[in-house]
Amino acid sequence: MTRAVDLSDIRAARERIAGKIERTPTVLSEALSERLGIPVHLKLEHRQITGSFKLRGASNAVASLSVQEKARGVVAASTGNHGRALAHAAKLEGTRAVICMSRLVPQNKLDAIRRLGAEIRIVGNSQDDAQQEVERLVAEEGLVMLPPFDHPAIIAGQGTLGLEMIEQVPDAALVLVQLSGGGLASGVAAAIKGVSPGTRVVGVSMARGAAMKASLDAGRPVLVEELPTLADSLGGGIGLDNQLTFAMCRDLLDDIVLLSEEEIAAGIRHAYEQEREIVEGAGAVGIAALLAGKVSASGPMVVLLSGRNIDMELHKKIVCGEKPSFAERAA
């Protein structure tokens, strides 16, 4: 198994991607602070250049490649945001990028990736199906695989978020971070625990198809059915041959919280109505966990808003209290 990513890797990643990403702000939420009776800070990572945190890991991974590897081109499976970030990072380097996705990925995310010049392959109904196409392209065309989470350079890049959060709120008692394949959660937790060991880090995911939670409960990576969800960016498995993120999440996360679709929708509405921020379902799960009363702390909290890449018609329906069908989101 590959060596776990540590604080030195994350600090090196920050130097490597300086100038390629935004250092996003952290602001105090008056509404949530009043509701919980403690300071609640929002890390506005959804304002990142490509609309999500994924640009950090993708930029670090592409920048870490050799000249020969960049010439071969890169490929990855994605639920949308990693693909968009990798397309952006590859374009900056003049590198070919191929993004493989399932039919569950929303159309707005496909369009954004195409605008960046990447090639798109739509394969099957799950991340696992898309990953099979990635492996074929690696074997037959020699492309370099840069997976969305289980890769040291990806994890280290995402971990730069943790450095920023603990620098911006050094007395944070609790950090809420999105949990899917674990690249973000493990990187953020490694950074925060490396600087402030007493700060708790809690992973937040949707109840529908939470692969990392199911795997940690089983004590090993397991397959979980991928289901449509408002938090579509958190979908997909962690890989049965997971090398890094399973162990890092097991060792570094203090707890995991799962949310219903109704709770996620409430988080999206609160972000818009109270914080004046437009976030996608995955980006809203931290807020949703607080609104649902599923998380508490004795001191200041930092809540990550991880992405904004939501279809605006869907966002409008959610804000208006409608319950859009999963079929509409997957179309």
Side-chain angles (χ1 to χ4, degrees), residues 221-238:
V222 297
L223 292 175
V224 174
E225 183 182 4
E226 190 171 341
L227 300 168
T229 170
L230 281 172
D232 54 87
S233 294
L234 301 183
I238 71 166

Side-chain angles (χ1 to χ4, degrees), residues 184-304:
L184 172 65
S186 60
V188 166
I192 289 173
K193 297 290 188 180
V195 174
S196 177
T199 300
R200 297 179 67 238
V201 182
V202 173
V204 189
S205 194
M206 69 288 177
R208 291 173 61 87
M212 183 61 79
K213 177 64 163 63
S215 296
L216 292 173
D217 287 346
R220 57 181 174 80
V222 297
L223 292 175
V224 174
E225 183 182 4
E226 190 171 341
L227 300 168
T229 170
L230 281 172
D232 54 87
S233 294
L234 301 183
I238 71 166
L240 294 181
D241 60 345
N242 188 287
Q243 298 295 301
L244 284 167
T245 61
F246 172 80
M248 290 182 69
C249 287
R250 179 195 63 207
D251 296 342
L252 295 171
L253 292 180
D254 293 287
D255 198 5
I256 296 172
V257 171
L258 300 183
L259 299 166
S260 70
E261 296 300 303
E262 292 76 15
E263 289 166 342
I264 296 169
I268 295 172
R269 283 194 293 271
H270 174 96
Y272 181 73
E273 295 170 354
Q274 300 297 323
E275 314 297 344
R276 297 296 188 262
E277 302 289 347
I278 294 175
V279 295
E280 60 187 276
V285 295
I287 290 176
L290 296 184
L291 296 178
K294 293 185 173 181
V295 179
S296 62
S298 58
M301 293 186 186
V302 184
V303 180
L304 176 59

Side-chain angles (χ1 to χ4, degrees), residues 26 53 64 75 101 185-186 195 202 209 228:
T26 295
F53 73 93
S64 300
V75 62
M101 294 179 285
S186 60
V195 174
V202 173

Side-chain angles (χ1 to χ4, degrees), residues 123-199:
V123 184
N125 295 307
S126 72
Q127 278 281 85
D128 292 331
D129 292 338
Q131 182 60 32
Q132 289 182 8
E133 177 67 5
V134 169
E135 292 167 4
R136 186 189 70 79
L137 289 168
V138 170
E140 297 181 8
E141 299 187 22
L143 295 176
V144 178
M145 179 170 60
L146 293 179
F149 54 87
D150 198 34
H151 186 287
I154 298 289
I155 296 169
Q158 319 304 25
T160 62
L161 251 178
L163 290 181
E164 289 181 19
M165 286 192 280
I166 205 65
E167 289 167 355
Q168 291 165 333
V169 188
D171 60 344
L174 175 69
V175 171
L176 296 183
V177 59
Q178 285 72 5
L179 178 62
S180 179
L184 172 65
S186 60
V188 166
I192 289 173
K193 297 290 188 180
V195 174
S196 177
T199 300

